[in-house]
């Protein structure tokens, strides 16, 4: 019998749950499946009720009887109300199974007849609840679901706690949720069954908040606004949704520099204690909410003489966090600050900002507060804001510069110099640098509605095109308009033709045309005395020639490196530094390529150039991958992908590189998924250049996964695409060796040899030594397939030595593995020791697993893979994906903190995951995991 099914989760709840909650949901679901109980806890609005409903709906079918109660604050004074909710519908089923005294006490408590109390009926009532649960459980499992335990009436709470502690092996499980702060759940945990798992719901990340809002239909909000929603909500999903709803329904966006508008529903929730403050304390808190980094010293400087006492009063009410060791005045939650500010009258807000405009020590903060204290246009205020924006730009804070620039434009008179739209366009360019492309595009489009000066219009068109990113096909209509606006001015024409060069490459996939367009742009820029555009065009031309295998590439790079240089171009991801890096990487100069890209990455981080940071992080990961540092490459690639998802920049390219890194040092299934994601993104953007790169990553992942036929299909398409694009340098994607190897595996050695011969011709012409060595490795496999084993063995030995000297650690290990495979079953040594050692040095876990499988299939007498390298596939077969990853890293010797950093999870999550691993594998410690990897039984 199952009762009270009305709590079943609405259809729309599960998608919300999946966003940021899948891991804890799985942990809770596993705990229930094992027969345990679960206590969900966390602050208000964090999503406990949503997870509770989903778990109850997901697991409730396994129980015969489901009992539910949901307490409220207004009813918490009514005794036995929760007990009535739980047992009211099943009283008839169990009453005749209870002793008379227990039945009388329970019926009196549930019906309100007989004036039952805990003091009067005492033990009889307690035993009645325990007996009722046992009677229900005798007919089948019982699930008790209780939401908002903090509001449970004290009588019901005491009775349930008494029963929970005495249920023993009775098949009764509790699924409960309680509102807590920090670790306050201990009291509720002590009233739960001994096997209860406490699961804390933590704040969502910025990307998860964005996904949640997108799911709820608030997908048109700019990324800068999404960032503010995440900051103001503190990652709380309820707060984020309410803020998103208010912004989505608001006809006007918030002014630059101001906190987000807070809807009335949230103000009432977080400011319920504000009425208990004195008027002066409330004004002090308003000044603190208006400041960027409020301290007691700042509040004193702003005229709040009794700041210590007033902030202490606010802290006692829970409005401020108590930090006796620090000078900062920090609100208990960011939303309290935003709600307090939104609640204050406009005149009081301006007064607070006016006080801070003289009290703040930082010139940027003084200028921001001056702007928010001023109404209407004011040339002096606008000038100070423009100066502050320039200072923020120099400090590497382009997002702050964009916000200040928009404030400067707002306060600039229509006939001011510079004009308001000049300042808006500067702000848009700063927003592009900061990765806030939505804001930049909107500002530029607004300027275009009224701009008439050609230079101003071209500047705005540039922002619109830049904001499109890789999706240049979406702004095709812009180019004719921009060319018309440029007229015959070579400086303006150069700006437009530079963008057209990118369009030729990305949309049309024509490297030759793109190169010609870039060269034309450089000539136009030189005629127009625009050195920055000239350098950008030369850098683009050099990169294109490098990828094409054009012989002029070194000469063009030298031209781009001539003085005078431009600091912005020097470190831009499409600038001369990046062009030189690509040439070094493709020319097998790995140490110099690494030092070059490391310096570039450091500089763009200093400048706050988000888009360049995304790309350079990926470039560094690629360099480490080529060098055989698979663990380091995986960390960098995952960080690049996280940054790309967060900023919405370079997502396809980052997913492609992350796929390669996962296939080499991480999880092959994830590598396959990322490669398909990258290919889909490139197809969606119409990005011809990255479609082939993504498919090459997919083919590599398929080869590592053992799907040779799939790899052949993917890599054949790459070959066709690159022939059509005019790409002849095999060092660009380095997929040719994989294709040849896959073709051998599917029984097509003739086609494999053709791939090798064609590629070798280009590699010899360009001096690509590492490519030649990989081709020789593939050719050795072709020869072995044709029966010429001696020639194959001789060539592989030479290949391994050459790759070692060039510094390609992973390719060296693959050569050693191929050599061991060819020796298997033949007279002489057949040890896989060398391959295992080299793969272990690279931290190439997927390849180590292949070695393990090869050892298992080897002839008797073959030396097995050394212990403690990779987990035997059957030992971890029953673990979930995250559990397998954690276990594999333990086998590498990683600490919990290192595992957390590698997998982008918390240390507590690592500890909880290890606990599940121990339980599933029947072991007790990290040492036992290593013993499993070594093939020994845990003691």
């Amino acid at each position: 019998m199952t009762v009270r099914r009305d709590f079943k989760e609405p259809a729309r709840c599960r998608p919300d749950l999946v966003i940021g909650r899948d891991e804890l949901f799985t942990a809770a679901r596993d705990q229930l499946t094992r027969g345990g109980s679960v206590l969900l806890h966390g602050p208000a609005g964090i999503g406990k009720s949503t997870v509770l409903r989903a778990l109850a709906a997901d697991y409730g079918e396994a129980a015969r009887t489901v009992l539910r109660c949901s307490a409220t604050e207004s009813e918490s004074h009514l005794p036995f109300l929760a007990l009535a909710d739980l047992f009211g519908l099943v009283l008839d089923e169990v009453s005749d199974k209870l002793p008379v005294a227990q039945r009388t006490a329970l019926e009196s408590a549930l019906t309100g007849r007989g004036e039952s109390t805990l003091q009067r009926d005492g033990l009889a009532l307690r035993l009645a609840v325990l007996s009722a649960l046992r009677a229900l459980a005798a007919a089948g499992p019982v699930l008790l679901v209780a939401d908002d335990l903090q509001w449970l009436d004290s009588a019901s709470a005491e009775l349930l706690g008494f029963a929970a502690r005495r249920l023993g092996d009775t098949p009764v499980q509790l699924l409960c949720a309680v509102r807590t702060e920090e670790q306050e759940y201990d009291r509720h945990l002590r009233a739960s069954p001994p096997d209860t798992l406490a699961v804390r719901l933590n704040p969502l990340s910025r990307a998860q908040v964005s996904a949640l809002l997108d799911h709820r239909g608030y997908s048109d909000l700019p990324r800068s606004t999404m960032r503010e929603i995440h900051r103001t909500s503190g990652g709380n999903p309820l707060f984020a949704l309410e803020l998103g709803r208010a912004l989505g329904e608001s006809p006007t966006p918030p002014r630059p520099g101001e906190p987000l508008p807070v809807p009335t529903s949230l103000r009432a929730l977080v400011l319920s204690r504000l009425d208990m403050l004195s008027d002066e304390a409330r004004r002090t808190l308003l000044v603190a909410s208006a400041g960027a980094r409020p301290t007691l010293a700042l509040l004193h400087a702003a005229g709040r003489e009794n700041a210590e006492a007033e902030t202490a009063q606010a802290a006692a009410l829970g409005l401020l966090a108590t930090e006796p060791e620090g000078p900062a005045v920090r609100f208990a939650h960011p939303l309290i600050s935003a709600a307090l500010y939104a609640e204050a009258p406009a005149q009081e807000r301006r007064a607070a900002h006016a006080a801070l405009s003289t009290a703040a020590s930082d010139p940027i903060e003084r200028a921001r507060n001056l702007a928010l204290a001023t109404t209407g246009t004011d040339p002096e205020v606008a000038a100070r804001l423009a100066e502050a924006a320039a200072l923020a730009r120099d400090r590497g804070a382009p997002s702050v510069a964009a916000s200040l620039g928009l404030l400067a434009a707002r306060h600039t008179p229509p006939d001011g110099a510079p004009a308001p739209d000049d300042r808006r366009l500067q702000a848009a360019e700063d927003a592009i640098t900061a990765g806030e492309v939505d804001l930049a595009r909107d500002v530029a489009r607004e300027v275009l509605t009224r701009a008439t000066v050609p230079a101003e219009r071209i500047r705005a068109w540039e922002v619109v095109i830049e904001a499109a990113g890789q999706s240049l096909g979406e702004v095709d209509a812009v180019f004719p308009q921009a060319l018309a606006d440029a007229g015959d001015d070579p400086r303006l024409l150069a700006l437009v033709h530079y963008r057209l060069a990118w369009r030729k490459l990305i949309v049309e996939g024509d490297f030759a045309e793109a190169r010609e367009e870039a060269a034309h742009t450089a000539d136009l820029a030189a005629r127009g005395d625009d050195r920055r555009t000239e350098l950008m065009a030369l850098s683009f031309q050099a990169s294109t020639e490098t990828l094409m295998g054009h012989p002029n590439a070194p000469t063009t790079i030298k031209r781009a490196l001539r003085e005078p240089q431009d600091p912005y171009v020097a470190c831009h991801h499409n600038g001369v530094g990046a062009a030189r890096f690509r040439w070094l990487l493709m020319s097998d100069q790995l140490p110099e390529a690494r030092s070059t890209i490391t310096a570039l990455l450091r500089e763009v981080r200093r400048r706050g150039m988000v888009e360049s940071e995304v790309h350079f992080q990926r470039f560094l990961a690629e360099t480490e991958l080529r060098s055989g540092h698979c663990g380091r490459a995986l960390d960098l690639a995952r960080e690049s992908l996280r940054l790309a998802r967060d900023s919405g920049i370079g997502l396809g390219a980052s997913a492609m590189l992350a796929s390669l890194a996962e296939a080499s040092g991480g999880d092959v299934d994830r590598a396959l998924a990322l490669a398909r994601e990258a290919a889909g993104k490139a197809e969606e953007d119409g990005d011809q250049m990255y479609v082939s790169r993504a498919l090459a990553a997919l083919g590599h992942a398929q080869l590592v996964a053992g799907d040779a036929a799939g790899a052949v299909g993917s890599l054949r398409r790459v070959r066709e695409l690159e022939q059509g694009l005019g790409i002849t340098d095999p060092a660009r994607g380095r997929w040719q060796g994989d294709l040849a190897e896959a073709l051998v595996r599917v029984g097509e050695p003739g086609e494999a040899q053709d791939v090798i011969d064609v590629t070798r011709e280009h590699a010899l012409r360009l001096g690509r030594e590492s490519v030649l060595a990989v081709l020789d490795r593939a050719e050795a496999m072709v020869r072995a397939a044709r029966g010429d084993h001696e020639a194959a063995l001789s060539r592989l030995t030479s290949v391994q030595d050459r790759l070692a000297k060039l510094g390609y650690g992973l390719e060296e290990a693959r050569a050693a593995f191929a050599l061991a495979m060819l020796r298997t079953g033949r007279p002489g040594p057949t040890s896989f020791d060398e391959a295992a050692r080299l793969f272990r040095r690279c931290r190439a876990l997927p390849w180590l697993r292949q070695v393990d499988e090869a050892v298992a299939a080897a002839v008797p007498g073959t030396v097995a893979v050394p212990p403690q390298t990779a987990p035997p596939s059957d030992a971890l077969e029953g673990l979930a994906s995250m559990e397998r990853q954690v276990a594999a890293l333990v086998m590498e010797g990683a600490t919990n903190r290192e595992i957390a950093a590698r997998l982008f999870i918390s240390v507590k999550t690592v500890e909880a995951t290890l606990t599940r691993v121990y339980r599933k594998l029947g072991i007790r410690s990290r040492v036992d995991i290593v013993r499993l990897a070594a093939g020994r039984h845990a003691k």
Side-chain angles (χ1 to χ4, degrees):
M1 172 184 177
T2 301
V3 299
R4 299 300 296 263
R5 282 293 178 186
D6 55 299
F7 66 84
K8 288 188 73 171
E9 164 203 34
R12 64 177 177 80
C13 288
R14 282 307 294 273
D16 292 355
L17 167 69
V18 171
I19 298 170
R21 302 301 188 204
D22 50 347
E23 185 176 337
L24 68 85
F25 182 85
T26 300
R29 180 66 171 76
D30 289 348
Q31 171 75 357
L32 292 170
T33 302
R34 288 190 294 270
S37 296
V38 173
L39 175 67
L40 304 169
H41 65 99
I46 203 66
K48 303 180 296 299
S49 297
T50 301
V51 177
L52 185 85
R53 287 195 302 270
L55 281 168
D58 191 55
Y59 179 71
E61 300 295 338
R64 176 185 178 273
T65 305
V66 179
L67 309 175
R68 181 179 186 270
C69 69
S70 183
T72 63
E73 185 176 11
S74 62
E75 299 171 339
S76 59
H77 65 287
L78 300 173
F80 305 123
L81 183 62
L83 200 67
D85 283 345
L86 290 168
F87 291 101
L89 297 181
V90 295
L91 181 60
D92 292 342
E93 182 184 348
V94 299
S95 62
D96 61 346
K97 300 174 184 176
L98 304 180
V100 174
Q102 294 180 23
R103 180 168 66 248
T104 301
L106 184 59
E107 288 177 346
S108 177
L110 295 184
T111 62
R113 297 190 296 270
E115 299 181 359
S116 177
T117 67
L118 280 177
Q119 289 72 24
R120 176 178 174 178
D121 296 315
L123 184 61
L125 189 52
R126 290 174 172 85
L127 291 175
V129 173
L130 180 60
S131 297
L133 288 172
R134 285 174 173 165
L136 290 171
V142 176
L143 177 65
L144 190 154
V145 182
D147 200 1
D148 283 319
L149 280 185
Q150 74 278 2
W151 303 132
L152 215 65
D153 64 273
S154 58
S156 297
E158 204 285 332
L159 291 169
L160 289 175
F162 176 88
R165 292 188 294 271
R166 290 164 176 80
L167 285 169
D169 295 331
T170 306
V172 176
Q173 297 170 264
L174 272 67
L175 172 59
C176 306
V178 61
R179 181 187 300 180
T180 60
E181 297 294 340
E182 303 302 331
Q183 301 301 315
E184 292 177 3
Y185 67 91
D186 288 350
R187 174 170 58 89
H188 300 282
L189 192 61
R190 287 193 294 271
S192 303
D195 62 347
T196 299
L197 173 68
V199 178
R200 179 169 178 81
L201 276 72
N202 291 314
L204 300 180
S205 68
R206 189 193 303 178
Q208 289 165 346
V209 165
S210 179
L212 177 62
L213 290 168
D214 184 64
H215 168 66
R216 286 297 186 90
Y218 306 122
S219 56
D220 294 332
L221 296 172
R223 290 188 179 276
S224 56
T225 302
M226 288 287 193
R227 184 185 65 227
E228 282 302 301
I229 289 175
H230 178 258
R231 185 192 65 78
T232 303
S233 69
N236 184 297
L238 172 64
F239 297 171
L241 284 170
E242 286 297 297
L243 289 167
R245 180 186 58 78
L247 285 164
E249 295 173 356
S250 175
T252 57
R255 291 175 61 190
E258 285 189 348
L260 294 179
V262 179
T264 305
S265 59
L266 289 185
R267 294 188 205 181
L269 179 64
V270 301
L271 296 182
S272 57
R273 289 158 288 186
L274 198 62
D275 291 338
M276 302 173 68
L277 283 175
S278 66
D279 290 342
E280 290 301 311
R282 185 166 179 158
R283 291 190 185 98
T284 295
L285 287 195
L286 176 60
V287 174
S289 71
R293 293 175 295 277
T295 62
L296 287 173
L298 178 65
L299 293 176
H300 278 299
R304 308 312 302 166
E305 298 176 356
N306 298 317
E308 285 90 351
E310 289 159 356
T311 54
Q313 182 188 1
L317 292 172
L319 295 167
L320 294 180
T322 53
E323 294 182 350
E325 302 299 324
V329 175
R330 186 169 66 84
F331 285 87
H333 192 282
L335 189 62
I336 296 175
S337 173
L340 179 67
Y341 187 92
E343 190 82 0
Q347 185 177 354
E348 291 186 16
R349 290 189 221 169
R350 287 196 295 271
H353 286 299
L356 290 169
S357 69
T358 56
S361 58
D362 185 79
I364 292 177
E365 184 64 7
R366 286 199 303 271
R368 184 185 75 88
N369 280 289
L370 178 62
L372 296 175
T374 306
T375 58
T377 59
D378 187 320
E380 184 179 346
V381 172
R384 286 184 59 181
L385 285 164
E387 291 169 4
L391 180 59
R393 199 175 303 120
D394 290 341
R395 288 181 180 178
S399 179
V400 176
S403 177
L404 292 168
L406 291 175
L407 281 172
R410 184 184 293 269
H411 289 284
T412 302
D415 57 352
D421 280 346
D422 284 339
R423 285 179 166 152
R424 287 189 181 92
L425 287 173
Q426 178 61 66
E429 290 162 357
D430 287 329
I432 286 286
T433 301
E436 297 177 7
V437 294
D438 295 337
L439 173 63
R441 181 187 58 246
D442 292 345
V443 170
R445 291 282 190 188
E446 180 196 348
V447 170
L448 282 165
T449 61
R450 54 180 173 265
T452 57
V453 178
E456 195 173 80
R457 291 185 63 78
I458 294 298
R459 192 177 176 189
W461 285 130
E462 276 204 288
V463 171
V464 171
I465 295 170
E466 184 75 18
Q470 300 296 107
S471 306
L472 282 179
E474 296 179 1
V475 292
D476 266 349
V478 165
F479 292 103
Q481 299 177 64
L483 285 171
D485 286 334
D488 57 2
D489 186 329
R491 187 184 185 92
L492 299 181
L493 283 170
L495 294 171
V496 181
H497 279 278
Y498 176 71
R499 305 293 174 179
L500 281 169
W502 276 103
R503 187 190 175 282
K504 292 284 187 184
L505 183 64
I506 292 175
V507 178
E508 298 181 15
D510 194 325
F511 275 71
E513 285 291 327
R515 173 183 175 272
E516 291 298 325
E517 193 71 67
H520 179 51
T521 299
D523 292 340
L524 285 169
R527 284 165 47 200
D529 197 25
D530 182 357
R531 181 61 173 164
R532 173 173 289 190
T533 303
E534 181 185 9
L535 287 171
M536 290 294 288
L538 287 171
S539 301
F540 177 76
Q541 181 183 344
S543 294
T544 306
E545 289 173 347
T546 299
L547 295 172
M548 292 173 65
H550 197 285
N552 288 356
T555 303
T556 307
I557 290 175
K558 289 178 181 177
R559 283 182 63 198
L561 287 169
R562 290 175 191 161
E563 296 294 338
Q565 284 294 308
D566 182 296
Y568 173 82
V569 177
C571 66
H572 192 274
H573 59 278
N574 290 323
V576 63
R580 181 171 178 271
F581 161 76
R582 289 188 187 93
W583 186 81
L584 290 168
L585 189 68
M586 294 174 69
S587 301
D588 298 325
Q589 299 182 49
L590 296 182
E592 194 170 353
R594 181 185 294 106
S595 62
T596 297
I597 199 61
T598 301
L600 287 170
L601 182 58
R602 187 184 307 117
E603 179 62 15
V604 297
R605 282 175 173 164
R606 186 187 71 79
R607 289 171 171 262
M609 299 169 66
V610 174
E611 183 173 6
S612 294
E613 181 182 356
V614 171
H615 291 296
F616 289 162
Q617 183 100 353
R618 187 180 79 252
F619 291 168
L620 181 56
E622 184 176 3
T623 307
E624 297 294 356
L625 195 57
R626 298 270 179 93
S627 303
H629 304 151
C630 298
R632 170 70 173 151
L634 185 60
D635 291 342
L636 289 165
R638 284 174 173 169
E639 175 62 20
S640 175
L641 183 60
R642 185 201 63 76
L643 188 59
R645 292 195 194 284
D646 196 31
S647 64
I649 295 170
L651 181 55
S654 293
M656 176 274 298
L657 201 281
S659 171
L660 291 171
E662 291 283 356
S664 299
D667 184 282
V668 180
D669 289 339
R670 180 165 169 77
L672 291 165
L674 285 168
R676 292 188 175 102
E677 177 186 348
K681 185 73 173 75
E683 295 275 13
E684 177 187 329
D685 290 343
D687 187 346
Q688 298 299 311
M689 186 168 64
Y690 265 103
V691 169
S692 65
R693 294 293 311 266
L695 288 172
L698 177 59
H700 179 74
Q702 289 168 323
L703 183 66
V704 176
D707 180 10
V712 167
S714 298
L715 296 175
R716 275 175 175 164
R717 189 178 170 203
V718 174
R719 191 183 190 194
E720 294 170 2
L721 284 171
E722 295 205 349
Q723 284 175 345
L725 290 169
I727 299 173
T728 60
D729 193 334
R732 186 230 181 194
R734 297 176 180 266
W735 49 266
Q736 296 84 355
D738 284 346
L739 175 56
E741 182 176 336
L743 285 166
V744 170
R745 291 189 189 184
V746 299
E748 296 287 349
E751 185 180 347
Q753 188 64 54
D754 178 65
V755 170
I756 293 167
D757 292 341
V758 171
T759 306
R760 181 178 283 134
E761 181 180 350
H762 293 299
L764 285 168
R765 173 176 60 83
L766 297 167
R768 304 298 190 230
E769 293 298 328
S770 63
V771 174
L772 289 168
V774 169
L775 291 173
D776 283 351
R777 184 184 68 207
E779 189 169 48
M781 297 178 184
V782 173
R783 294 192 178 187
R786 290 172 170 171
D788 193 352
H789 286 270
E790 295 305 322
L793 289 169
S794 175
R795 176 155 296 197
L796 280 174
T797 303
S798 169
V799 164
Q800 185 179 340
D801 292 341
R802 287 156 58 196
L803 288 168
K805 290 176 182 176
L806 289 168
Y808 284 78
L810 183 59
E811 299 294 354
E812 175 194 358
R814 287 180 64 178
F817 185 31
L819 192 61
M821 290 291 290
L822 282 182
R823 285 173 172 163
T824 301
R826 294 172 53 80
T830 59
S831 174
F832 287 85
D833 287 359
E834 176 69 359
R837 181 186 69 81
L838 293 173
F839 282 133
R840 193 184 310 113
R841 184 183 69 183
C842 295
R843 290 177 64 187
L845 298 181
W847 289 100
L848 274 168
R849 294 184 186 106
Q850 289 197 32
V851 173
D852 193 33
E853 292 168 2
V855 168
V859 295
T862 299
V863 179
V865 179
Q868 301 180 25
T869 55
S873 57
D874 57 343
L876 305 185
E877 187 175 347
L879 300 182
S881 175
M882 177 62 71
E883 294 165 349
R884 286 199 303 272
Q885 292 181 62
V886 170
L889 290 171
V890 167
M891 292 170 184
E892 289 186 53
T895 65
N896 286 2
R897 189 170 297 279
E898 290 169 341
I899 294 170
R902 286 276 299 275
L903 300 180
F904 301 104
I905 57 178
S906 69
V907 174
K908 287 186 177 180
T909 300
V910 174
E911 293 168 351
T913 304
L914 279 176
T915 300
R916 295 197 301 273
V917 169
Y918 299 157
R919 185 165 51 244
K920 287 184 178 182
L921 298 182
I923 59 179
R924 291 177 295 180
S925 69
R926 297 167 65 94
V927 174
D928 292 336
I929 295 182
V930 176
R931 286 173 177 160
L932 277 179
R936 299 192 296 269
H937 293 291
K939 302 293 184 183

